[in-house]
Amino acid sequence: MKQITDEEASALLALRLLSAELPEQGKLSVEQEAALNHYLDAVPGRRLAVEQNITFPEIITGIQERISESERGERIRNHIQQIIHGDADHKRNSWKVISRLFRLRNIAAIVIISILGYLLVHLIKPHAKEVSIVQAGLIVPMKGKVTLTLSTGDVIALDQRQLSTEDGTTHILNSNGELTYHAGEASPNRYNTLSTGSAQVYKVKLPDGTLVWLNAGTTLKYPVQFSKNERMVEIEGGECFFDVTHSAVPFRVKTGEDVVEVHGTAFNVFAYAGEKKKVSLIRGAVSVFNERQQINLAPGEQVAITSGNIQKSAQADMQEVQAWMNNNFWLDNKTVRQTLSDISRWYGVQIVYEYSGPLLDATLHGGQQVPRDIAANETLEMIAFTTSLKIYYSDRKIIIRK
């Protein structure tokens, strides 16, 4: 019986899924089925783990929704077949070939490779060995949940389906990744909390018409209806972009002890736990203050807040600030540590620092924006090459060593 590798088994499993959705593309050969079955039975519990999890609703739904064109399915099938039947040189380069499909933003490729990554990490390798980043399989974004917590304490999982609910007299509609509030009669002291997981961006339209976009790993608390004297929301952690509806009633964003106040403007607030806070103004005017300081910003300006100290940044690049809104990572002039934090939040991986020296504060240069829907491997390889850090991967953990 031919022995197959983990990579080949992942490809065969993906082919089996693809064939089920696109029968016209053919199916596994008798030899391939036999090799895959032998692989699944080689380790106790491996087949059961695969068969119990292979029909996860999100995986099947993703295939049904996104692989709708036979041409796309055939392209991916051909690339996966090359892993199995190609020569030695092609096998070594095959994952780079598939990775390039991410750059083309081929939705079918993203779904299939996500399945490959899911199977490889969670099913085929339940006890994954630690490997260098250049040897690791593709590290793809793992989508977390988006949840809405009502004033009653009830938690609703949001997805792309339409949802209509009530909180007091306020009507809440969820449709196509956007939450919209329609206020009824006064609903004092009723607050909702919207939270995003990894690889998730969500949009909410507040009762006054203000639009807020939440980046991955963000929690925003807000009233279901604003008072007559103040519009106040709170970022409990994360990053938000605000496009505030103009009004004589001030709009305030609270982050810990710091407050951003506006009347109608567009700005970004970066307030992840453990990182330096930043407020960046795109248009209009804002005032950033706490008990000790107050600084006013003009468009294109930014303040950084460290330990309650508010200070204007000498340089602020609004393209960098808004990169996440365009589904990109911004790598230029960011430290290694900042970039690794971005990767951790988006890809849903844990960063394990076994080195804590100055190389983590080295500034990366060159190549400004990288799409967030491609695998993280190339960025991590670039970090390893430019800093001499040793980067390893194991079971959704990225280990940093010197």
Side-chain angles (χ1 to χ4, degrees):
M1 176 63 63
K2 178 188 175 183
Q3 300 294 321
I4 60 175
T5 65
D6 291 338
E7 182 181 271
E8 291 169 335
S10 297
L12 287 172
L13 285 164
L15 278 173
R16 181 185 281 175
L17 284 173
L18 184 59
S19 297
E21 293 301 316
L22 299 172
E24 67 273 19
Q25 298 300 325
K27 58 184 179 180
L28 297 183
S29 68
V30 173
E31 181 185 6
Q32 289 173 334
E33 283 284 2
L36 180 57
N37 286 330
H38 180 76
Y39 177 89
L40 294 176
D41 293 331
V43 176
R46 180 183 280 170
R47 177 181 290 277
L48 180 63
V50 171
E51 291 179 348
Q52 284 184 340
N53 292 280
I54 199 70
T55 56
F56 265 21
E58 56 265 38
I59 296 177
I60 299 304
T61 299
I63 297 172
Q64 291 171 337
E65 289 179 351
R66 299 182 184 181
I67 305 180
S68 57
E69 300 177 23
S70 297
E71 180 182 351
R72 287 182 175 179
E74 185 174 6
R75 288 183 64 197
I76 307 307
R77 183 187 182 88
N78 289 340
H79 279 288
I80 297 175
Q81 285 283 12
Q82 287 172 345
I83 296 174
I84 299 165
H85 299 300
D87 56 29
D89 288 339
H90 185 86
K91 284 186 179 183
R92 281 193 294 270
N93 295 321
S94 57
W95 290 108
K96 291 184 179 179
V97 172
I98 293 177
S99 180
R100 283 197 291 272
L101 290 176
F102 277 85
R103 293 191 178 279
L104 298 176
R105 304 216 177 176
N106 186 308
I107 300 301
I110 294 172
V111 175
I112 287 294
I113 298 305
S114 296
I115 293 168
L116 289 179
Y118 178 86
L119 292 169
L120 185 62
V121 173
H122 293 281
L123 305 178
I124 295 174
K125 288 186 174 180
H127 303 291
K129 292 182 179 180
E130 182 182 297
V131 296
S132 70
I133 196 61
V134 296
Q135 297 172 314
L138 293 179
I139 304 171
V140 297
M142 298 294 286
K143 281 200 171 186
K145 293 182 178 180
V146 178
T147 61
L148 175 66
T149 304
L150 303 177
S151 62
T152 58
D154 294 330
V155 179
I156 301 173
L158 303 179
D159 53 28
Q160 297 302 314
R161 296 175 301 172
Q162 286 198 352
L163 169 71
S164 180
T165 188
E166 306 284 337
D167 195 329
T169 61
T170 298
H171 181 69
I172 307 169
L173 177 65
N174 179 63
S175 179
N176 299 319
E178 179 176 341
L179 205 57
T180 304
Y181 284 76
H182 301 282
E185 298 177 2
S187 303
N189 302 319
R190 285 184 177 271
Y191 287 84
N192 283 186
T193 302
L194 182 61
S195 299
T196 55
S198 57
Q200 293 280 13
V201 172
Y202 225 76
K203 179 181 177 182
V204 56
K205 185 176 183 180
L206 298 175
D208 67 334
T210 291
L211 299 176
V212 189
W213 288 260
L214 284 71
N215 201 354
T218 297
T219 298
L220 178 70
K221 182 179 179 180
Y222 49 87
V224 298
Q225 186 171 347
F226 291 118
S227 71
K228 295 180 180 180
N229 301 317
E230 180 185 56
R231 298 177 290 169
M232 171 77 83
V233 302
E234 180 176 1
I235 300 176
E236 296 182 346
E239 183 171 21
C240 292
F241 184 90
F242 294 85
D243 191 346
V244 179
T245 298
H246 183 78
S247 171
V249 179
F251 187 97
R252 298 187 175 102
V253 180
K254 183 179 179 183
T255 62
E257 65 175 8
D258 305 300
V259 177
V260 182
E261 180 175 300
V262 303
H263 287 271
T265 184
F267 61 99
N268 192 82
V269 179
F270 180 94
Y272 285 105
E275 300 201 39
K276 183 186 296 184
K277 293 181 188 177
K278 294 178 182 178
V279 179
S280 309
L281 181 61
I282 307 302
R283 70 170 188 270
V286 306
S287 175
V288 184
F289 63 91
N290 55 32
E291 292 182 350
R292 296 177 295 279
Q293 288 177 276
Q294 176 172 328
I295 291 183
N296 298 321
L297 292 182
E301 292 185 327
Q302 179 185 83
V303 293
I305 306 172
T306 307
S307 300
N309 180 43
I310 306 172
Q311 187 172 8
K312 275 191 180 180
S313 301
Q315 294 180 331
D317 190 326
M318 293 300 113
Q319 280 189 298
E320 174 185 350
V321 170
Q322 298 180 84
W324 71 272
M325 294 281 291
N326 298 314
N327 199 33
N328 291 323
F329 285 117
W330 186 275
L331 301 180
D332 204 36
N333 290 321
K334 296 189 77 170
T335 68
V336 171
R337 193 188 300 272
Q338 289 171 331
T339 303
L340 290 173
S341 294
D342 287 343
I343 289 173
S344 175
R345 283 189 291 265
W346 186 254
Y347 288 88
V349 294
Q350 178 184 355
I351 308 296
V352 179
Y353 291 100
E354 296 185 2
Y355 166 80
S356 58
L359 289 179
L360 296 176
D361 297 317
T363 301
L364 300 173
H365 296 286
Q368 294 181 331
Q369 298 191 59
V370 174
R372 297 203 294 186
D373 54 10
I374 70 170
N377 301 59
E378 290 186 19
T379 300
L380 291 169
E381 288 178 25
M382 179 270 292
I383 292 173
F385 178 78
T386 57
T387 64
S388 298
L389 287 170
K390 303 294 189 296
I391 303 180
Y392 297 87
Y393 178 75
S394 175
D395 196 20
R396 305 303 292 179
K397 294 180 181 177
I398 295 172
I399 302 109
I400 309 299
R401 298 188 180 125
K402 178 66 175 77

